Each structure stands twice: as C-alpha cells, then as structure tokens.
Amino acid sequence: RNARTFPKSSLRGGPVAKALIQASSHSDAKHLQSLLEKHLVDVHLTFEKTSTRSMLNYEPPSVLIFALHQFEATDLAFCEDLITAGFDRPILVLSQKVFTSAEVIKTRQIHMLETPFTDRDIVATVNKLLTNPNSPAQRHKRFTTSQDVRIEAMVSGVMTTSQMLNLSKGGAYIELDELAGWNEGELVRLNIPMKDLNKNHTMHGRVVWTTARHKKSGKPGLGLEFVPNDDVYRLLSENL
C-alpha cells in the first residue's frame, strides 16, 4: 500500500469545485463528464488507480467518483487507503454490481449508487455531496413516494402528520410544515397507514439531518435512518 499522505491544507482550499472520475469504460466516463459539466462541475478523468492517486496529490477534487462495472474488495481497500492517507472529501461509487452487502462499508465517507439509476439520480447525488460533503452516506437506492405518515419524537413528544417523499431500505425523507422541535439525533416513531390492508405499520428511526427549505418543495423536512426495533430502548436510554 502507498503510504503517501494528502496534505490537509490542499484538501480544504480551492475556490472551484471539481469532480474526479475513475472509470472502467471510456464511453461511461465521457457520458458522466458531459452530464456533470453541463449541470454542476468541472470533471477530470482517470482510468486506473495510479493516475487517480497522482491526481489527488496534484489537485484534490471536491468529490471522487468511481464508475465501475463491479465494485470489488480491492476497490474498497483502495478507497480506505485514500481516506487513511488524508483524503477527506466524499467518495461516490457508481456500480452495476457491488462485491458484498453495503453494510460492510463502515466509513460514512463512501456513498453508493447501484444500478439501475438515472442521469437525474447521478446529478442529484453529486449535487448533494458538493453542497453538503458531510451528509450521511447513501447505501441503498431511493424510491420516490408520497406516503402519508404520522411521526412522533420519542423523547420530546412532538407529533405531526406529514408525508414521506422518498424511501430506501436504510431510511426516508419526511416533509414537514415546520421544523421547530425536530432535532438531529432525535429518535422517532413512524406510523404508516396501509389502506389496502386496512392496518397501520410502525417503524422507528433517528433524525440524521434536517433542512429548513428543501430545494424542490421549498418546505422544511428531515432525513431519517431506520433503527431496528431491538435497538430502540437502548438508544432511548442513552438520550434520557
């Protein structure tokens, strides 16, 4: 493994946002470059790890993107090497196949977007990482929805009826009328009416981020990470 470290000063600076893409296909690389330069950011391309490492030393990007047919264990090890060496920007993996379950990837710096995804998905994800580099790592594909939901803060007792606007295996985005009383770290209970089955489904989650104004709807909202039922009471006791 290469022990070279990336200087923190070069990572923090730079007035112009850039993306670096390491791709396994020249046609995929050119498509992504055209897409992102049209909507968001300047793009540099590489096609193997040595060039990627050299580019990071020369001009660290605002986001590093891997566009690979398969994301292998060796690719994950390379990402972890870069992070250990000091690369502290978001890493986005676009892949047709991930070598193992997303849960194996421990660092919150690595974000996953597994096929099928659209150009709009790519632009939205990269824009999120450029705007908020510390946003929670995306591990699962998100699906747009418009599901009624009753949400209750389990510590403060705040409660409201609202809508779930997108959903993934790991979490959801809930739109709100007002943000007051909803804080990061808050444990929540979701009560979801399942009209076709004439019953309600209960889930638990934790608020991992909030926004006062969503870029599409203009309304406040919060991002949730789902919490297994077995962990709820342990986490509740830690918050009391």
Side-chain angles (χ1 to χ4, degrees), residues 4 8 55 91 97 152-153 163 169 227:
R4 177 179 291 178
K8 291 287 185 179
M55 286 295 298
I91 297 173
K97 185 177 181 181
E152 175 188 357
Q163 280 199 322
K169 180 180 177 182
V227 173

Side-chain angles (χ1 to χ4, degrees), residues 154 187 202-205 226-238:
M154 298 181 68
L187 285 168
T202 299
M203 302 178 68
H204 296 91
F226 292 140
V227 173
N229 290 340
D230 292 344
D231 292 343
V232 171
Y233 292 105
R234 175 181 61 81
L235 294 170
L236 268 177
S237 64
E238 293 174 359

Side-chain angles (χ1 to χ4, degrees), residues 157-205:
V158 176
M159 186 183 301
T160 188
T161 299
S162 189
Q163 280 199 322
M164 181 187 298
L165 295 189
N166 68 50
L167 173 70
S168 78
K169 180 180 177 182
Y173 176 74
I174 309 292
E175 186 175 77
L176 301 171
D177 290 325
E178 59 180 45
L179 198 56
W182 300 98
N183 303 304
E184 291 184 17
E186 180 85 57
L187 285 168
V188 301
R189 180 185 292 112
L190 302 175
N191 192 276
I192 304 168
M194 303 177 70
K195 297 177 182 177
D196 291 345
L197 299 178
N198 197 30
K199 67 177 185 177
N200 293 338
H201 180 64
T202 299
M203 302 178 68
H204 296 91

Side-chain angles (χ1 to χ4, degrees), residues 94-147:
L94 309 174
S95 180
Q96 296 176 13
K97 185 177 181 181
V98 177
F99 75 98
T100 187
S101 64
E103 286 76 7
V104 171
I105 303 172
K106 301 299 184 183
T107 175
R108 298 177 72 84
Q109 194 173 332
I110 301 176
H111 303 250
M112 307 295 298
L113 200 57
E114 192 173 356
T115 55
F117 51 74
T118 65
D119 286 354
R120 178 180 291 184
D121 293 332
I122 296 170
V123 171
T125 302
V126 173
N127 183 57
K128 179 183 73 172
L129 297 179
L130 291 171
T131 305
N132 182 13
N134 297 317
S135 59
Q138 180 170 323
R139 294 283 187 260
H140 308 283
K141 181 174 176 59
R142 290 191 174 273
F143 298 91
T144 300
T145 183
S146 182
Q147 171 67 54

